[in-house]
Amino acid sequence: MTNTRVSRHCPVCDAPPTGASTFVGETLNEKRLTGFSFASRKDPEYMSHRMVQCPACDLVYVDTPPRQDELARAYHQADYDSSEEANDAALAYIAAIAPTLGRLRQRSSALEIGTGTGIFLEHLQRAGFKSLVGVEPSRAAIAAAPPNRRAWIRETIFVESDHAPDSLDLICCFMTMEHVLDPGAIARSAMRLLRPGGAFVTVTHDYRSLVNRILGRRSPIIDIEHMQLFSSASATQLFRSCGYADVSVQAFVNRYSLRYWTRLMPLPGPAKRGALAIMGRTHIGGVKLGFNVGNIITAGFKPE
Ligand SMILES: [Zn+2]
């Protein structure tokens, strides 16, 4: 991507990378980088920047990441083709967030950072939220949003000053905290934008989950677009260090079509194409199956 890389400290606890062990070495193939490399829920490419594991807070992170402007450009131009999977993911998230919603004093306003086609906002509307905003940098994702969601979505990265302080009951950031250079900045901004008693909720991968430990280097989480990977410990530390109270971390189940699970699986190309071809001729590919795929939902509340 560039040769003007600058080294960074751990973006959760600020420990220097000198004491960190290598988690995965750099595997880049510039010729294979496509518009889809920065899209959600794409086929895994098994490419990554070098990542190190912080001995202080357990975060895995790219210690010499691309610049922010390069990341922003890549996401703005990213392709988008996963509406069915986006809908499936949103169903899993609304189920997983239910205990947090149950603790909110009111359901007046919500913000989703990285809203994609805005499908999750539709679930929040059904859950009673009145004012909904989603920010999304990918023009293609927004173009795929149905007309009833367009008014909620703003084509931009998250900028704190676009929103009023102490104005939100819920801020969600799903499968996005891995992609930004400073996840702590988002968590601190969210704290300022929430009303007292409001909740900040993230969904991230958990690199320590069973499935990710089994797949190792072949896990879809080993990805060029991930600037850091969380675990229960590092997600908890991020929230607590930003002042959140009653921080909880839970694993949950995702339900996706068999067709999509097959795309994610680390199979040789011909085997995968053969399986997908059979599914294309039958209804089997559309069958939904639920698995714990190593995702965690983390929630914390702004102190009253
Ligand atoms: Zn750390």
Side-chain angles (χ1 to χ4, degrees):
M1 299 189 85
T2 180
N3 35 30
T4 57
R5 299 282 190 84
V6 181
S7 170
R8 66 170 177 168
H9 285 197
C10 172
V12 164
C13 76
D14 203 37
T18 41
S21 55
T22 299
F23 181 78
V24 60
E26 178 166 270
T27 317
L28 286 183
N29 181 344
E30 302 272 344
K31 289 198 190 74
R32 280 178 55 204
L33 278 177
T34 66
F36 277 107
S37 292
F38 290 88
S40 322
R41 290 171 286 271
K42 59 185 178 181
D43 294 335
E45 297 169 307
Y46 313 118
M47 288 195 289
S48 73
H49 302 289
R50 181 181 74 231
M51 300 185 105
V52 300
Q53 188 167 21
C54 178
C57 77
D58 205 40
L59 189 77
V60 164
Y61 67 99
V62 178
D63 59 335
T64 54
R67 295 197 318 267
Q68 180 68 57
D69 59 323
E70 294 172 49
L71 286 178
R73 195 164 52 239
Y75 286 114
H76 182 64
Q77 295 167 350
D79 294 322
Y80 192 84
D81 78 329
S82 49
S83 275
E84 184 189 342
E85 282 77 34
N87 295 350
D88 290 343
L91 279 171
Y93 301 158
I94 196 70
I97 205 174
T100 300
L101 296 188
R103 290 189 48 177
L104 294 178
R105 269 193 286 149
Q106 54 176 8
R107 299 183 184 185
S108 171
S109 54
L111 166 67
E112 186 182 21
I113 299 168
T115 198
T117 65
I119 173 67
F120 187 72
L121 296 175
E122 221 169 270
H123 289 288
L124 289 180
Q125 184 184 45
R126 264 180 236 136
F129 285 85
K130 305 285 183 292
S131 164
L132 297 161
V133 173
V135 297
E136 170 57 53
S138 164
R139 179 168 293 174
I142 297 171
N148 66 308
R149 298 183 207 146
R150 295 272 171 86
W152 299 332
I153 307 176
R154 301 177 189 172
E155 185 185 317
T156 175
I157 60 163
F158 170 63
V159 179
E160 180 182 338
S161 58
D162 290 347
H163 312 273
D166 301 303
S167 68
L168 294 156
D169 302 301
L170 177 69
I171 300 176
C172 298
C173 189
F174 298 158
M175 292 301 182
T176 298
M177 295 294 271
E178 288 96 337
H179 298 211
V180 298
L181 280 181
D182 192 350
I186 290 183
R188 287 187 295 275
S189 288
M191 172 66 82
R192 290 186 285 266
L193 297 178
L194 286 170
R195 288 195 177 94
F200 179 49
V201 183
T202 65
V203 170
T204 62
H205 303 289
D206 172 8
Y207 76 83
R208 287 192 179 275
S209 66
L210 183 64
V211 62
N212 286 327
R213 280 183 285 134
I214 289 171
L215 290 174
R217 190 78 196 73
R218 305 284 280 174
S219 165
I221 70 170
I222 305 301
D223 192 303
I224 188 77
E225 58 181 298
H226 288 156
M227 296 297 113
Q228 50 270 325
L229 295 171
F230 292 88
S231 58
S232 291
S234 50
T236 302
Q237 172 143 350
L238 172 70
F239 275 61
R240 288 196 180 142
S241 68
C242 294
Y244 289 94
D246 297 330
V247 176
S248 65
V249 184
Q250 292 288 327
F252 64 96
V253 165
N254 277 76
R255 294 182 71 80
Y256 285 124
S257 67
L258 186 56
R259 186 186 312 114
Y260 180 65
W261 289 121
T262 307
R263 267 174 55 195
L264 286 186
M265 259 181 239
L267 295 172
K272 189 180 285 194
R273 282 191 293 276
L276 288 171
I278 291 167
M279 287 178 204
R281 290 194 295 270
T282 64
H283 294 298
I284 295 171
V287 171
K288 305 277 179 172
L289 294 174
F291 289 111
N292 175 344
V293 284
N295 290 338
I296 48 176
I297 184 166
T298 309
F301 294 82
K302 180 166 179 169
E304 301 272 357

